[in-house]
Amino acid sequence: MRIVGLDRFLKGEWLDKTMEIASNESDISLIRETLEEYLKQEIPGDITRRKARDKLMAIWVNIPEELEWIKSEAIILSNEVFNQERLLLHWTMMFAVYPIFRDISTIIGAITDFQDDVTLSLVEKRIYEIWGERSTVKYAVQKIMSSMVDWQVLERRGSGKFKKKSPIKIENTSLKLLYLKAYLSVNNKDYIEFFKANNIKSVFPFEIQYKMEDFALSDEFALVKMGSDVAISLA
């Protein structure tokens, strides 16, 4: 049985602060202490604070060794990316680290591809098909969708009802390419067709349009002709 992992409500401000601390400090103990002090102002309960801190650390600090390259690139980009685009850095890290986040965001993206509204019950029904009907899974869906409301990508429209907000347009090419590298890597894909790259469901809060020129100066990707289509592969 797979471990759910991400089952906490996380404010966008907490994610930003964790990323900021991680970009300025490499000592894990000092990062934990600094984050703990910051969260004391936000979360009074010791147990609740510790659980939130541990999830934030798992996203930006204590990550699997095979994902360190994603974190390293994201930390560098954190100094170049501002405003709403910064959310894609957090999104990329959570997508890479937590399969439950990956699946929930894909489900919401698939639903909102056809309609703006989405219900908690429908997301739960779809995620149960993948993860099984467990209380921990139900709790994770609730907390992740509540977090998405705080991140301003979903709008609460009543009990268990949400609406997708206007997508965040991503202009930074390096940011777009980092997400695509992470997507291919964690999904164990060698390539993706160009038209599919521009319609990845799991990145539903963002407007990302890949263009041929995005890959012109990259030595990490290659464009491959596949019949009448073009595919993007990792070089």
Side-chain angles (χ1 to χ4, degrees):
M1 185 179 292
R2 290 193 294 173
I3 297 173
V4 171
L6 187 58
D7 58 359
R8 294 283 112 190
F9 168 76
L10 299 177
K11 280 188 177 182
E13 295 170 5
W14 303 349
L15 288 163
D16 281 343
K17 188 62 177 181
T18 307
M19 180 173 66
E20 176 191 324
I21 296 169
S23 68
N24 291 304
E25 179 58 65
S26 59
D27 186 288
I28 293 178
S29 297
L30 288 176
I31 293 174
R32 184 182 296 107
E33 290 173 15
T34 306
L35 185 57
E36 174 73 14
E37 286 303 310
Y38 167 77
L39 290 175
K40 280 182 179 178
Q41 307 167 50
E42 298 280 324
I43 310 172
D46 291 343
I47 295 175
T48 303
R49 183 173 62 252
R50 175 180 57 78
K51 289 181 177 179
R53 183 202 66 201
D54 288 348
K55 300 307 175 187
L56 292 165
M57 293 279 290
I59 293 167
W60 277 108
V61 184
N62 300 322
I63 65 172
E65 185 177 350
E66 67 270 18
L67 300 177
E68 276 288 345
W69 66 270
I70 301 177
K71 171 192 165 183
S72 297
E73 291 192 31
I75 289 293
I76 293 171
L77 278 174
S78 69
N79 297 312
E80 303 174 14
V81 177
F82 303 97
N83 302 321
Q84 288 181 301
E85 280 194 323
R86 291 173 71 87
L87 179 59
L88 184 52
L89 288 172
H90 301 308
W91 201 274
T92 300
M93 293 304 301
M94 288 184 284
F95 177 88
V97 172
Y98 287 114
I100 189 73
F101 181 84
R102 203 178 306 158
D103 291 337
I104 290 172
S105 59
T106 299
I107 288 168
I108 296 173
I111 295 170
T112 57
D113 201 29
F114 297 97
Q115 59 190 50
D116 287 338
D117 297 324
V118 59
T119 63
L120 179 64
S121 60
L122 180 54
V123 177
E124 288 174 344
K125 180 182 178 182
R126 299 255 178 106
I127 200 69
Y128 290 159
E129 294 171 359
I130 304 170
W131 286 77
E133 191 169 344
R134 295 184 270 154
S135 59
T136 50
V137 174
K138 182 182 182 70
Y139 191 72
V141 174
Q142 294 171 353
K143 293 303 180 183
I144 289 173
M145 292 186 74
S146 292
S147 297
M148 288 181 179
V149 172
D150 181 80
W151 306 338
Q152 299 184 40
V153 299
L154 291 179
E155 178 183 342
R156 205 179 293 276
R157 301 298 291 269
S159 180
K161 296 180 180 178
F162 302 84
K163 181 179 180 180
K164 175 185 172 181
K165 299 195 76 169
S166 298
I168 300 165
K169 190 169 184 179
I170 304 299
E171 302 280 7
N172 187 294
T173 301
S174 297
L175 184 56
K176 292 193 293 182
L177 295 184
L178 175 59
Y179 181 79
L180 189 57
K181 280 190 289 185
Y183 176 85
L184 290 172
S185 180
V186 300
N187 284 299
N188 295 312
K189 290 179 176 288
D190 294 324
Y191 66 88
I192 184 171
E193 292 90 340
F194 214 97
F195 76 94
K196 287 185 179 179
N198 283 322
N199 192 32
I200 297 174
K201 308 301 182 189
S202 55
V203 74
F204 74 89
F206 306 94
E207 181 185 332
I208 300 178
Q209 286 297 311
Y210 293 101
K211 300 170 287 189
M212 294 291 186
E213 50 264 38
D214 291 335
F215 304 93
L217 300 177
S218 174
D219 57 3
E220 296 179 293
F221 289 94
L223 298 180
V224 184
K225 190 75 172 174
M226 299 184 69
S228 59
D229 297 322
V230 173
I232 306 164
S233 69
L234 291 172

